[in-house]
Amino acid sequence: MIFIKKQFYKILLALTILAFVFRLLSSFDLAENYSPVRNPHKQTDTYTYQNFASEIAEGKYDYSKGYYYQPFYYSVFLASIYKLCPDPITGVLIVQAFLGALCVLLTALSFAYLFGRKCAVLAGFFLCFYKMHIFYGSFTLIASLQSFWISLIVFLLVIISKLKENKHLIIYFIILGLCFGAANLTRGNIILLSPVVIYLLVILKKPVKLKILLGLLFFVLFYLPQLPFAWQNYQVHNKWVGPSSAAANVLALGNTPESAPGGKEPGSSGPMEYPLSYTIWTRDAQKTGDEKVSLLRNTWKWFSREPAAYIELKFRIFMLFWNRIEIPNNVSILERDEKIPGRFIHLPLFPFWLIGSLGLAGIILALKNMRKKKAAVLPVFIILLYCASIVIFYMLARFRVPIMPPLCGMAAYFIIKFPGLYRQKEARLFLIGLSILSFVFVCFAYQAYRLGWEARVIKIVRPDGIRIIDEQTHMIKDHGPLAFGGWVPVTTNPIKRIRKVFAIEKQDADRSGTIRLAVLATEGGKITVNNQPYTVQKSNSIQWITIETGISSTGNQAVFDAAISFEGEIYLFQDLQRDYGRTEINSISIDAELVIELLIK
């Protein structure tokens, strides 16, 4: 099918209107049936953004505390809606549905310029009905706004790559710089996408002096929207921290020895875990003078000590970025594995496994052909740089939503190119292999690594387990995080004896220690360890009991060896994704590690 120009624009208009109407219907449906839309939990970002926006709109915000989060979303975008709309949440839903529709239009136009009208319509159709792009437009989270910024940035990059007149080039670079600045003010990882502008300048067939001028113009205008917020933070903190002072805290979530690769397991929602190392590192970053240790310095110290362990963590985050699962945080499309209330969002919309598989194949195909059409890889570089910017932090489903417009475009590109390439015998095998590998990687790679390889790799890259050491704490453990970990109850029954070996440094062999043991007792009960009773309270959450007996040390090993008995239905936990061969239950070694910690005094 070949669209004539008039038909093409009618189709784009229809897709844009359809995207707006469907997002609006879905958002109103969720607002009526799912409480976090209007009344989020107080520990979530959704609540924080609503609260800050309300305070700014009413003139009650305390500017003396500066801007902790990236401020554009709540201090400009939301605050403006809160001022103008009698029902602010309804206003937000309408505006974010409109932004979602604009993403569809901008994506279609971008890929029309790059790969033709058929690709454009398919790209717009994919994004119009992509499930998570619709879902996150219903909440006061930055996903919709950031998705719009990235759609606009890709559109501007493509337009600039085709401009001839220098006058128009300068105007578009001004707009591009301001858009980049506003996007970075919305979420600070956008600065890591700026190398694509360098690539754009390289491929432009313009004089070198003009390219240098355009580059300088871009970077000045990039920082211009951020300057008022950065200046306010400078006055508060008496140092230059930029428009947001949360960088250390955000980085610490995905860059400590205890970090999980993602926020929470699918099927759950709410705030993330904050392990001990996160608390220590953020505390160190807030100190002053010689006691201050920045997050980057602590991360570098860990990387220098265990480079392979750090790389392995980032590899898991990378696989999660491209994996079919959706990682919840503040909100989830499933809660306790049950669908949340709502009709439209549970229709058979496009999932990530489909768009991600096709998009990844399209990226590889475009890179293979980049010599023929250099501008065609502009959206590819945006996607890859954005992926890298998330891998540096940690993975959540809402972090992936902003990059879906160009990824939908690359998925459409692969489908459009497939028939013609398949007819070429020399390309057929490559095309089939690429399709299969992309599908397998997106759908199964992380799960295969998690269940089959993670324990073996961790044993190699981190042979001594996790050590968290500072002037107040010396903790050693072999288990991994709860989120995306392998924590399951120990099924051995009865458990009469447990033995856990910890790898310690020789100088710690003479120091005393304390054990913290993870247990679950939904009805409460009592544990007796070496004839010492411990009462366990009734709770549906995991509890930690502190044990002072049964610890001995020799050389570079500390051993917790204890007779144990239970009164009531009480469970211990084992981590199936860790196996150092250092746990025994009833004198039998298990292919896992007990969830237990050693605190050295």
Side-chain angles (χ1 to χ4, degrees), residues 17-33 37 93-94 96-98 129 134-135 137-138 341-347 349:
I17 294 171
L18 183 60
F20 175 68
V21 171
F22 192 86
R23 280 159 173 74
L24 209 56
L25 290 172
S26 179
S27 293
F28 285 164
D29 181 32
L30 286 172
E32 183 178 346
N33 296 292
V37 176
L93 299 184
I94 293 171
Q96 290 189 166
F98 182 67
F129 294 108
I134 296 166
F135 177 67
S138 304
R343 294 165 294 174
F344 291 94
I345 199 60
H346 298 302
L347 293 173
L349 305 169

mmCIF file of all heavy atoms in Angstrom, residues 17-33 37 93-94 96-98 129 134-135 137-138 341-347 349:
data_model
loop_
_atom_site.group_PDB
_atom_site.id
_atom_site.type_symbol
_atom_site.label_atom_id
_atom_site.label_comp_id
_atom_site.label_asym_id
_atom_site.label_seq_id
_atom_site.Cartn_x
_atom_site.Cartn_y
_atom_site.Cartn_z
ATOM 1 N N ILE A 17 -6.018 11.363 16.987
ATOM 2 C CA ILE A 17 -7.297 11.525 17.695
ATOM 3 C C ILE A 17 -7.656 10.247 18.444
ATOM 4 O O ILE A 17 -8.090 10.278 19.611
ATOM 5 C CB ILE A 17 -8.416 11.922 16.717
ATOM 6 C CG1 ILE A 17 -8.144 13.308 16.138
ATOM 7 C CG2 ILE A 17 -9.778 11.877 17.406
ATOM 8 C CD1 ILE A 17 -9.082 13.695 15.006
ATOM 9 N N LEU A 18 -7.444 9.105 17.784
ATOM 10 C CA LEU A 18 -7.736 7.814 18.406
ATOM 11 C C LEU A 18 -6.872 7.613 19.654
ATOM 12 O O LEU A 18 -7.359 7.143 20.697
ATOM 13 C CB LEU A 18 -7.502 6.687 17.405
ATOM 14 C CG LEU A 18 -7.834 5.259 17.858
ATOM 15 C CD1 LEU A 18 -9.306 5.148 18.242
ATOM 16 C CD2 LEU A 18 -7.499 4.267 16.749
ATOM 17 N N ALA A 19 -5.590 7.964 19.559
ATOM 18 C CA ALA A 19 -4.682 7.837 20.701
ATOM 19 C C ALA A 19 -5.147 8.701 21.869
ATOM 20 O O ALA A 19 -5.130 8.275 23.030
ATOM 21 C CB ALA A 19 -3.267 8.237 20.288
ATOM 22 N N PHE A 20 -5.561 9.923 21.559
ATOM 23 C CA PHE A 20 -6.033 10.834 22.610
ATOM 24 C C PHE A 20 -7.297 10.302 23.280
ATOM 25 O O PHE A 20 -7.395 10.240 24.513
ATOM 26 C CB PHE A 20 -6.293 12.221 22.019
ATOM 27 C CG PHE A 20 -6.896 13.196 22.989
ATOM 28 C CD1 PHE A 20 -6.167 13.670 24.072
ATOM 29 C CD2 PHE A 20 -8.209 13.619 22.832
ATOM 30 C CE1 PHE A 20 -6.730 14.562 24.972
ATOM 31 C CE2 PHE A 20 -8.778 14.512 23.717
ATOM 32 C CZ PHE A 20 -8.036 14.984 24.796
ATOM 33 N N VAL A 21 -8.270 9.888 22.473
ATOM 34 C CA VAL A 21 -9.552 9.421 23.011
ATOM 35 C C VAL A 21 -9.357 8.158 23.839
ATOM 36 O O VAL A 21 -9.908 8.037 24.948
ATOM 37 C CB VAL A 21 -10.568 9.180 21.874
ATOM 38 C CG1 VAL A 21 -11.822 8.493 22.409
ATOM 39 C CG2 VAL A 21 -10.927 10.492 21.198
ATOM 40 N N PHE A 22 -8.579 7.221 23.321
ATOM 41 C CA PHE A 22 -8.394 5.964 24.045
ATOM 42 C C PHE A 22 -7.654 6.197 25.363
ATOM 43 O O PHE A 22 -8.009 5.614 26.398
ATOM 44 C CB PHE A 22 -7.624 4.958 23.189
ATOM 45 C CG PHE A 22 -7.646 3.569 23.759
ATOM 46 C CD1 PHE A 22 -8.695 2.716 23.478
ATOM 47 C CD2 PHE A 22 -6.643 3.132 24.606
ATOM 48 C CE1 PHE A 22 -8.734 1.435 24.025
ATOM 49 C CE2 PHE A 22 -6.663 1.859 25.154
ATOM 50 C CZ PHE A 22 -7.726 1.005 24.859
ATOM 51 N N ARG A 23 -6.628 7.056 25.364
ATOM 52 C CA ARG A 23 -5.904 7.364 26.601
ATOM 53 C C ARG A 23 -6.813 8.060 27.603
ATOM 54 O O ARG A 23 -6.732 7.811 28.812
ATOM 55 C CB ARG A 23 -4.674 8.226 26.278
ATOM 56 C CG ARG A 23 -3.495 7.420 25.768
ATOM 57 C CD ARG A 23 -2.492 8.250 24.990
ATOM 58 N NE ARG A 23 -1.294 7.475 24.666
ATOM 59 C CZ ARG A 23 -1.250 6.537 23.735
ATOM 60 N NH1 ARG A 23 -2.347 6.273 23.029
ATOM 61 N NH2 ARG A 23 -0.140 5.867 23.494
ATOM 62 N N LEU A 24 -7.653 8.924 27.103
ATOM 63 C CA LEU A 24 -8.576 9.635 27.987
ATOM 64 C C LEU A 24 -9.573 8.666 28.621
ATOM 65 O O LEU A 24 -9.822 8.721 29.836
ATOM 66 C CB LEU A 24 -9.322 10.709 27.190
ATOM 67 C CG LEU A 24 -9.789 11.953 27.948
ATOM 68 C CD1 LEU A 24 -8.628 12.641 28.653
ATOM 69 C CD2 LEU A 24 -10.465 12.914 26.988
ATOM 70 N N LEU A 25 -10.142 7.777 27.821
ATOM 71 C CA LEU A 25 -11.087 6.794 28.343
ATOM 72 C C LEU A 25 -10.426 5.886 29.381
ATOM 73 O O LEU A 25 -11.000 5.609 30.443
ATOM 74 C CB LEU A 25 -11.658 5.951 27.199
ATOM 75 C CG LEU A 25 -12.607 6.665 26.230
ATOM 76 C CD1 LEU A 25 -12.928 5.764 25.038
ATOM 77 C CD2 LEU A 25 -13.887 7.086 26.945
ATOM 78 N N SER A 26 -9.216 5.435 29.075
ATOM 79 C CA SER A 26 -8.501 4.560 30.007
ATOM 80 C C SER A 26 -8.172 5.287 31.306
ATOM 81 O O SER A 26 -8.321 4.734 32.401
ATOM 82 C CB SER A 26 -7.214 4.043 29.349
ATOM 83 O OG SER A 26 -6.493 3.221 30.245
ATOM 84 N N SER A 27 -7.725 6.542 31.209
ATOM 85 C CA SER A 27 -7.367 7.313 32.393
ATOM 86 C C SER A 27 -8.577 7.582 33.278
ATOM 87 O O SER A 27 -8.512 7.437 34.506
ATOM 88 C CB SER A 27 -6.714 8.637 31.984
ATOM 89 O OG SER A 27 -5.459 8.416 31.375
ATOM 90 N N PHE A 28 -9.685 7.982 32.677
ATOM 91 C CA PHE A 28 -10.901 8.238 33.465
ATOM 92 C C PHE A 28 -11.420 6.948 34.097
ATOM 93 O O PHE A 28 -11.938 6.956 35.223
ATOM 94 C CB PHE A 28 -11.973 8.876 32.595
ATOM 95 C CG PHE A 28 -11.719 10.321 32.276
ATOM 96 C CD1 PHE A 28 -12.395 10.959 31.249
ATOM 97 C CD2 PHE A 28 -10.799 11.065 33.014
ATOM 98 C CE1 PHE A 28 -12.168 12.298 30.965
ATOM 99 C CE2 PHE A 28 -10.567 12.405 32.732
ATOM 100 C CZ PHE A 28 -11.253 13.019 31.710
ATOM 101 N N ASP A 29 -11.283 5.849 33.376
ATOM 102 C CA ASP A 29 -11.690 4.547 33.896
ATOM 103 C C ASP A 29 -10.865 4.185 35.133
ATOM 104 O O ASP A 29 -11.408 3.773 36.169
ATOM 105 C CB ASP A 29 -11.518 3.500 32.792
ATOM 106 C CG ASP A 29 -11.944 2.114 33.237
ATOM 107 O OD1 ASP A 29 -12.871 2.011 34.066
ATOM 108 O OD2 ASP A 29 -11.356 1.131 32.766
ATOM 109 N N LEU A 30 -9.543 4.358 35.043
ATOM 110 C CA LEU A 30 -8.678 4.059 36.185
ATOM 111 C C LEU A 30 -8.911 5.042 37.329
ATOM 112 O O LEU A 30 -8.872 4.663 38.508
ATOM 113 C CB LEU A 30 -7.210 4.086 35.753
ATOM 114 C CG LEU A 30 -6.736 2.899 34.918
ATOM 115 C CD1 LEU A 30 -5.320 3.134 34.396
ATOM 116 C CD2 LEU A 30 -6.780 1.608 35.735
ATOM 117 N N ALA A 31 -9.130 6.312 37.005
ATOM 118 C CA ALA A 31 -9.369 7.315 38.049
ATOM 119 C C ALA A 31 -10.607 6.972 38.870
ATOM 120 O O ALA A 31 -10.667 7.261 40.074
ATOM 121 C CB ALA A 31 -9.515 8.697 37.421
ATOM 122 N N GLU A 32 -11.572 6.350 38.226
ATOM 123 C CA GLU A 32 -12.817 5.999 38.915
ATOM 124 C C GLU A 32 -12.673 4.725 39.740
ATOM 125 O O GLU A 32 -13.323 4.573 40.782
ATOM 126 C CB GLU A 32 -13.934 5.820 37.878
ATOM 127 C CG GLU A 32 -15.297 5.522 38.480
ATOM 128 C CD GLU A 32 -16.379 5.395 37.423
ATOM 129 O OE1 GLU A 32 -16.130 5.788 36.263
ATOM 130 O OE2 GLU A 32 -17.466 4.889 37.752
ATOM 131 N N ASN A 33 -11.783 3.815 39.300
ATOM 132 C CA ASN A 33 -11.736 2.484 39.910
ATOM 133 C C ASN A 33 -10.451 2.158 40.667
ATOM 134 O O ASN A 33 -10.437 1.198 41.439
ATOM 135 C CB ASN A 33 -11.942 1.421 38.814
ATOM 136 C CG ASN A 33 -13.309 1.504 38.176
ATOM 137 O OD1 ASN A 33 -14.318 1.222 38.810
ATOM 138 N ND2 ASN A 33 -13.347 1.910 36.906
ATOM 139 N N VAL A 37 -4.628 6.724 41.473
ATOM 140 C CA VAL A 37 -4.694 7.819 40.501
ATOM 141 C C VAL A 37 -4.931 9.139 41.225
ATOM 142 O O VAL A 37 -4.231 10.134 40.999
ATOM 143 C CB VAL A 37 -5.798 7.573 39.454
ATOM 144 C CG1 VAL A 37 -5.910 8.777 38.519
ATOM 145 C CG2 VAL A 37 -5.508 6.312 38.656
ATOM 146 N N LEU A 93 -4.906 14.338 33.743
ATOM 147 C CA LEU A 93 -5.252 13.205 32.873
ATOM 148 C C LEU A 93 -5.512 13.664 31.443
ATOM 149 O O LEU A 93 -5.084 13.007 30.486
ATOM 150 C CB LEU A 93 -6.478 12.473 33.422
ATOM 151 C CG LEU A 93 -6.348 11.857 34.823
ATOM 152 C CD1 LEU A 93 -7.611 11.095 35.191
ATOM 153 C CD2 LEU A 93 -5.136 10.947 34.919
ATOM 154 N N ILE A 94 -6.205 14.788 31.292
ATOM 155 C CA ILE A 94 -6.496 15.304 29.945
ATOM 156 C C ILE A 94 -5.206 15.747 29.249
ATOM 157 O O ILE A 94 -4.959 15.398 28.083
ATOM 158 C CB ILE A 94 -7.491 16.480 30.028
ATOM 159 C CG1 ILE A 94 -8.854 15.984 30.516
ATOM 160 C CG2 ILE A 94 -7.634 17.165 28.667
ATOM 161 C CD1 ILE A 94 -9.847 17.092 30.842
ATOM 162 N N GLN A 96 -2.063 14.890 29.905
ATOM 163 C CA GLN A 96 -1.149 13.773 29.633
ATOM 164 C C GLN A 96 -1.681 12.876 28.521
ATOM 165 O O GLN A 96 -0.885 12.304 27.750
ATOM 166 C CB GLN A 96 -0.883 12.989 30.911
ATOM 167 C CG GLN A 96 -0.036 13.794 31.898
ATOM 168 C CD GLN A 96 0.455 13.015 33.094
ATOM 169 O OE1 GLN A 96 1.346 13.468 33.812
ATOM 170 N NE2 GLN A 96 -0.091 11.849 33.353
ATOM 171 N N ALA A 97 -2.987 12.767 28.383
ATOM 172 C CA ALA A 97 -3.552 12.037 27.237
ATOM 173 C C ALA A 97 -3.233 12.775 25.942
ATOM 174 O O ALA A 97 -2.903 12.153 24.914
ATOM 175 C CB ALA A 97 -5.064 11.886 27.410
ATOM 176 N N PHE A 98 -3.287 14.089 25.988
ATOM 177 C CA PHE A 98 -2.952 14.904 24.818
ATOM 178 C C PHE A 98 -1.471 14.761 24.465
ATOM 179 O O PHE A 98 -1.110 14.626 23.288
ATOM 180 C CB PHE A 98 -3.295 16.364 25.101
ATOM 181 C CG PHE A 98 -3.024 17.287 23.945
ATOM 182 C CD1 PHE A 98 -3.756 17.197 22.780
ATOM 183 C CD2 PHE A 98 -2.025 18.247 24.027
ATOM 184 C CE1 PHE A 98 -3.512 18.045 21.703
ATOM 185 C CE2 PHE A 98 -1.768 19.104 22.968
ATOM 186 C CZ PHE A 98 -2.507 19.003 21.797
ATOM 187 N N PHE A 129 -1.419 2.077 20.595
ATOM 188 C CA PHE A 129 -2.001 1.007 21.409
ATOM 189 C C PHE A 129 -0.952 0.244 22.217
ATOM 190 O O PHE A 129 -1.155 -0.926 22.542
ATOM 191 C CB PHE A 129 -2.795 0.046 20.512
ATOM 192 C CG PHE A 129 -3.999 0.679 19.890
ATOM 193 C CD1 PHE A 129 -4.021 0.974 18.533
ATOM 194 C CD2 PHE A 129 -5.098 1.009 20.664
ATOM 195 C CE1 PHE A 129 -5.125 1.570 17.962
ATOM 196 C CE2 PHE A 129 -6.211 1.613 20.091
ATOM 197 C CZ PHE A 129 -6.230 1.892 18.739
ATOM 198 N N ILE A 134 0.013 3.897 27.568
ATOM 199 C CA ILE A 134 -1.340 4.293 27.952
ATOM 200 C C ILE A 134 -1.480 4.281 29.468
ATOM 201 O O ILE A 134 -2.009 5.225 30.071
ATOM 202 C CB ILE A 134 -2.377 3.348 27.305
ATOM 203 C CG1 ILE A 134 -2.323 3.469 25.772
ATOM 204 C CG2 ILE A 134 -3.784 3.620 27.825
ATOM 205 C CD1 ILE A 134 -3.051 2.364 25.038
ATOM 206 N N PHE A 135 -0.985 3.225 30.109
ATOM 207 C CA PHE A 135 -1.154 3.038 31.550
ATOM 208 C C PHE A 135 -0.542 4.184 32.355
ATOM 209 O O PHE A 135 -1.198 4.766 33.224
ATOM 210 C CB PHE A 135 -0.528 1.702 31.956
ATOM 211 C CG PHE A 135 -0.570 1.422 33.439
ATOM 212 C CD1 PHE A 135 -1.781 1.200 34.081
ATOM 213 C CD2 PHE A 135 0.603 1.377 34.176
ATOM 214 C CE1 PHE A 135 -1.818 0.937 35.446
ATOM 215 C CE2 PHE A 135 0.568 1.122 35.537
ATOM 216 C CZ PHE A 135 -0.644 0.891 36.173
ATOM 217 N N GLY A 137 0.124 7.165 31.616
ATOM 218 C CA GLY A 137 -0.477 8.472 31.419
ATOM 219 C C GLY A 137 -1.574 8.781 32.419
ATOM 220 O O GLY A 137 -2.046 9.920 32.493
ATOM 221 N N SER A 138 -1.955 7.780 33.210
ATOM 222 C CA SER A 138 -3.047 7.953 34.178
ATOM 223 C C SER A 138 -2.564 8.392 35.557
ATOM 224 O O SER A 138 -3.383 8.531 36.467
ATOM 225 C CB SER A 138 -3.822 6.627 34.325
ATOM 226 O OG SER A 138 -4.290 6.176 33.073
ATOM 227 N N PRO A 341 -8.377 -2.836 39.139
ATOM 228 C CA PRO A 341 -9.680 -2.500 38.538
ATOM 229 C C PRO A 341 -9.510 -1.619 37.298
ATOM 230 O O PRO A 341 -8.640 -0.757 37.257
ATOM 231 C CB PRO A 341 -10.389 -1.730 39.660
ATOM 232 C CG PRO A 341 -9.686 -2.120 40.912
ATOM 233 C CD PRO A 341 -8.263 -2.382 40.530
ATOM 234 N N GLY A 342 -10.315 -1.844 36.318
ATOM 235 C CA GLY A 342 -10.244 -1.075 35.075
ATOM 236 C C GLY A 342 -10.539 -1.964 33.885
ATOM 237 O O GLY A 342 -10.175 -3.142 33.886
ATOM 238 N N ARG A 343 -11.175 -1.400 32.877
ATOM 239 C CA ARG A 343 -11.558 -2.191 31.718
ATOM 240 C C ARG A 343 -10.637 -1.957 30.526
ATOM 241 O O ARG A 343 -10.122 -2.902 29.930
ATOM 242 C CB ARG A 343 -12.995 -1.849 31.313
ATOM 243 C CG ARG A 343 -14.055 -2.261 32.337
ATOM 244 C CD ARG A 343 -15.386 -1.580 32.056
ATOM 245 N NE ARG A 343 -15.299 -0.142 32.252
ATOM 246 C CZ ARG A 343 -16.269 0.707 31.976
ATOM 247 N NH1 ARG A 343 -17.393 0.269 31.453
ATOM 248 N NH2 ARG A 343 -16.113 2.006 32.197
ATOM 249 N N PHE A 344 -10.412 -0.712 30.184
ATOM 250 C CA PHE A 344 -9.687 -0.389 28.951
ATOM 251 C C PHE A 344 -8.235 -0.861 28.992
ATOM 252 O O PHE A 344 -7.710 -1.342 27.988
ATOM 253 C CB PHE A 344 -9.749 1.116 28.691
ATOM 254 C CG PHE A 344 -11.108 1.606 28.317
ATOM 255 C CD1 PHE A 344 -11.961 2.110 29.287
ATOM 256 C CD2 PHE A 344 -11.563 1.532 27.013
ATOM 257 C CE1 PHE A 344 -13.236 2.557 28.953
ATOM 258 C CE2 PHE A 344 -12.831 1.972 26.664
ATOM 259 C CZ PHE A 344 -13.669 2.486 27.647
ATOM 260 N N ILE A 345 -7.581 -0.723 30.145
ATOM 261 C CA ILE A 345 -6.157 -1.048 30.220
ATOM 262 C C ILE A 345 -5.907 -2.551 30.115
ATOM 263 O O ILE A 345 -4.790 -2.977 29.825
ATOM 264 C CB ILE A 345 -5.540 -0.473 31.523
ATOM 265 C CG1 ILE A 345 -4.020 -0.387 31.398
ATOM 266 C CG2 ILE A 345 -5.937 -1.318 32.732
ATOM 267 C CD1 ILE A 345 -3.528 0.490 30.278
ATOM 268 N N HIS A 346 -6.965 -3.356 30.314
ATOM 269 C CA HIS A 346 -6.798 -4.813 30.238
ATOM 270 C C HIS A 346 -7.264 -5.388 28.897
ATOM 271 O O HIS A 346 -7.339 -6.609 28.733
ATOM 272 C CB HIS A 346 -7.533 -5.477 31.393
ATOM 273 C CG HIS A 346 -7.005 -5.089 32.742
ATOM 274 N ND1 HIS A 346 -5.688 -5.297 33.109
ATOM 275 C CD2 HIS A 346 -7.601 -4.464 33.803
ATOM 276 C CE1 HIS A 346 -5.506 -4.837 34.342
ATOM 277 N NE2 HIS A 346 -6.631 -4.325 34.771
ATOM 278 N N LEU A 347 -7.560 -4.507 27.952
ATOM 279 C CA LEU A 347 -7.821 -4.975 26.591
ATOM 280 C C LEU A 347 -6.527 -5.520 25.988
ATOM 281 O O LEU A 347 -5.428 -5.230 26.475
ATOM 282 C CB LEU A 347 -8.366 -3.819 25.751
ATOM 283 C CG LEU A 347 -9.757 -3.302 26.143
ATOM 284 C CD1 LEU A 347 -10.104 -2.049 25.330
ATOM 285 C CD2 LEU A 347 -10.815 -4.379 25.932
ATOM 286 N N LEU A 349 -3.843 -5.040 24.316
ATOM 287 C CA LEU A 349 -2.984 -4.004 23.741
ATOM 288 C C LEU A 349 -1.584 -4.558 23.501
ATOM 289 O O LEU A 349 -1.241 -5.649 23.954
ATOM 290 C CB LEU A 349 -2.944 -2.798 24.684
ATOM 291 C CG LEU A 349 -4.313 -2.208 25.054
ATOM 292 C CD1 LEU A 349 -4.176 -1.202 26.188
ATOM 293 C CD2 LEU A 349 -4.961 -1.563 23.833
#
